[in-house]
Structure formats: structure tokens, C-alpha cells
Amino acid sequence: DAGVTQSPTHLIKTRGQQVTLRCSPKSGHDTVSWYQQALGQGPQFIFQYYEEEERQRGNFPDRFSGHQFPNYSSELNVNALLLGDSALYLCASSLNTEAFFGQGTRLTVV
Amino acid sequence: EDQVTQSPEALRLQEGESSSLNCSYTVSGLRGLFWYRQDPGKGPEFLFTLYSAGEEKEKERLKATLTKKESFLHITAPKPEDSATYLCAVQRGGSNYKLTFGKGTLLTVNP
């Protein structure tokens, strides 16, 4: 079992650009959530996808959007990047209550 | 709004010196409380889920307990490889699916 996989592992973008992060859930999991973790902070919930629909959203602007595909994999898109978007972006997959995280994508905005 | 406060922020132990980490929470209708371990630059690794007050779970040198207001992660005879940040998260019931995390406790175990 490969677990939750995310790509890329690291990314450097320029302010104002757009970025797409990808996530493949753990085998058998149908729900994907995205979190943003700033240095020294706990992860903050961005949104969750289930059955290809956004089921719940956290307090993030519309610049953050996502998608879930029929095979349950997911993308996180961030438009008009700001310096403050620099963080570790985490994908978590779940089937019931317990969420399992990937290794994250470290995004640096310069 | 759901709140999670972890203490202490950082803890240094000598190898073999047992201690406890605290997670205080405020949530309306707890569905579950979760403990994760996170190594630097990595994603959180799932440790335990606790669902109701009085519940306890163990894994190797770790034991998690839950009351109506807080959870403790007890570390017995820690080893240097237990050094990591330990995160606590809560999930409210109903049509809510997000995890609300604390800031974590950075544990360092010296040999």
C-alpha cells in the first residue's frame, strides 16, 4: 500500500503566479482534504472533497480551489500567489473518521 | 468555534525520563480526538483516535487518554527516536469533517 502520495515535494513560485498541487489518496479511501501548515503552526483546513464535490471549506479565499477526479485523486490550485502562501501543503485521505496524511508539498513564493 | 491548546510548546527529556503532553480542547459535540506525530518537513503520522471520555489507547511507549476537557499523551521511558512534534486535533460531530489542530508540542529526547 503506497499510502497518500503528493507531488511535487518542493516548489518555488513567483508572486502573482498560479500553482497546482496533486494528491493520490490511500488505496480504498474516497475522501480527500487539504491543509496548509505554516512554520511552527498546526495544519489549517482548506477544504474537503467527496464524490467529486467540495463538501466543506475552511476560511480560505477563493484563490484556493480544488478538484477531485473519478479515481478519487485531487488537485489544489492557488491563483495570484502571495508571499504569505508559502507553507507546507498537506493532503489527507480518509474512508471514515481517521485521516492519513501525505508527506506534503513545500511551496515557497518569492 | 472549536479550539485546541497544547502544552508545553516544547519539552526536553533525557532518555528514559517519562512525561506527559497535554491537549485541552473546546468543541461542541466531539466526534473524535486525534494524535499525530510529525517529523521535520514531513506530513503528520497518525497515532491514535479517542472517541469518548475514559477511553485509553496504547502503542509501544505511548499511551493516550481522554477526558471531557483534555487529552494526555503519556510517554514512558522515551528514546531519542521519539523526538518529534506531537499534534492533537479534534473533529466536531454532525455535518463537519474538518480537523482542528493545536500548534503541537516539540519533544526532544536526549541520549
Side-chain angles (χ1 to χ4, degrees):
Chain A
D1 184 0
V4 181
T5 58
Q6 293 186 240
S7 62
T9 55
H10 296 83
L11 202 53
I12 299 175
K13 288 287 189 178
T14 302
R15 188 172 46 182
Q17 285 188 316
Q18 178 264 344
V19 68
T20 297
L21 310 182
R22 295 177 174 82
C23 172
S24 292
K26 187 176 170 68
S27 178
H29 286 188
D30 58 4
T31 303
V32 173
S33 303
W34 287 92
Y35 290 79
Q36 179 195 68
Q37 187 176 25
L39 207 58
Q41 302 295 314
Q44 297 291 315
F45 178 76
I46 302 175
F47 41 56
Q48 184 182 86
Y49 277 83
Y50 173 69
E51 292 189 342
E52 302 179 51
E53 296 286 334
E54 183 184 288
R55 179 158 71 171
Q56 187 177 3
R57 188 178 183 92
N59 295 324
F60 280 80
D62 292 345
R63 298 187 297 109
F64 290 77
S65 64
H67 189 77
Q68 186 178 33
F69 299 94
N71 66 353
Y72 306 124
S73 66
S74 177
E75 289 182 348
L76 164 65
N77 301 292
V78 186
N79 294 323
L81 284 166
L82 304 174
L83 296 179
D85 294 332
S86 295
L88 181 67
Y89 286 85
L90 296 164
C91 169
S93 74
S94 56
L95 180 59
N96 294 306
T97 307
E98 292 159 357
F100 294 84
F101 285 83
Q103 80 281 9
T105 295
R106 170 68 64 186
L107 172 65
T108 303
V109 182
V110 298
Chain B
E1 186 170 328
D2 306 336
Q3 289 193 333
V4 177
T5 303
Q6 292 188 244
S7 62
E9 290 184 5
L11 180 63
R12 282 187 176 275
L13 299 174
Q14 287 299 123
E15 184 172 1
E17 179 187 3
S18 301
S19 188
S20 297
L21 312 182
N22 178 263
C23 171
S24 297
Y25 65 91
T26 303
V27 62
S28 177
L30 179 72
R31 172 182 284 154
L33 183 140
F34 306 83
W35 283 99
Y36 288 86
R37 169 196 169 122
Q38 187 174 29
D39 293 308
K42 305 293 185 185
E45 175 190 345
F46 172 78
L47 294 174
F48 304 109
T49 307
L50 301 168
Y51 294 101
S52 57
E55 190 174 359
E56 299 183 352
K57 287 192 177 174
E58 289 188 65
K59 179 181 179 180
E60 296 180 357
R61 295 176 292 283
L62 301 177
K63 178 180 176 180
T65 62
L66 181 65
T67 73
K68 289 186 177 180
K69 294 183 178 180
E70 57 191 350
S71 177
F72 292 93
L73 185 65
H74 307 277
I75 303 176
T76 301
K79 298 182 177 182
E81 52 263 41
D82 294 322
S83 298
T85 295
Y86 290 85
L87 294 166
C88 171
V90 296
Q91 186 180 54
R92 183 162 21 107
S95 57
N96 172 73
Y97 306 96
K98 72 174 186 179
L99 296 177
T100 299
F101 282 86
K103 292 184 178 181
T105 293
L106 175 61
L107 175 66
T108 304
V109 183
N110 296 313

